Amino acid sequence: MEQRLSLVTLGVSDLAAARRFYEALGWTTGAAPADDVVFFQAGGMIVALWGRDQLAEDSGVADPGGWGGITLAYNTRSPAEVDAVIEDARAAGARIAREPAETFWGGYSGVFVDPDGHPWEVAHNPHWHIGEDGSVTLPG
């Protein structure tokens, strides 16, 4: 298995509402309004929205309804971009779990939570390189 991630699927309680939220952040999809899954191209990978019950059944897991122990991240090129993305998320209806601030590891980050409870860290790491295509490269 190659060391890469191709797709992240978020289980959502209301697909139409989740789609509206991500579209309000500026994300675009080719999915039709009646599709039961919504795909977004996200740089070199894909983010999908699918009904939480359907995702649990398809994945063969029990869904206790709590947080799944995963945080998504969006890395930026500057601290100012962190502030802008957090404000865009706030305007789209996200709950801001942590306002942007300097971090213990020398960066700058904040966290928003989407309508289904998926936390997104928005971070600027001065040690990582963000390519023009949005790809992230670790140092050295």
Side-chain angles (χ1 to χ4, degrees), residues 74 76 78-91 94-113 120-124:
Y74 178 83
T76 68
S78 70
E81 189 179 352
V82 171
D83 293 337
V85 171
I86 291 291
E87 289 311 312
D88 287 347
R90 188 187 320 270
R95 178 177 66 82
I96 307 306
R98 183 166 43 82
E99 293 291 340
E102 291 183 8
T103 66
F104 69 92
W105 45 265
Y108 185 82
S109 75
V111 176
F112 72 83
V113 180
W120 282 80
E121 180 182 30
V122 181
H124 169 67

Side-chain angles (χ1 to χ4, degrees), residues 25-42:
L25 289 178
W27 290 31
T28 59
T29 180
D35 287 352
D36 66 348
V37 65
V38 177
F39 295 104
F40 297 98
Q41 187 69 51

Side-chain angles (χ1 to χ4, degrees), residues 54-74:
Q54 293 93 333
L55 179 60
E57 180 181 347
D58 186 66
S59 300
V61 299
D63 180 10
W67 177 56
I70 295 175
T71 298
L72 304 169
Y74 178 83

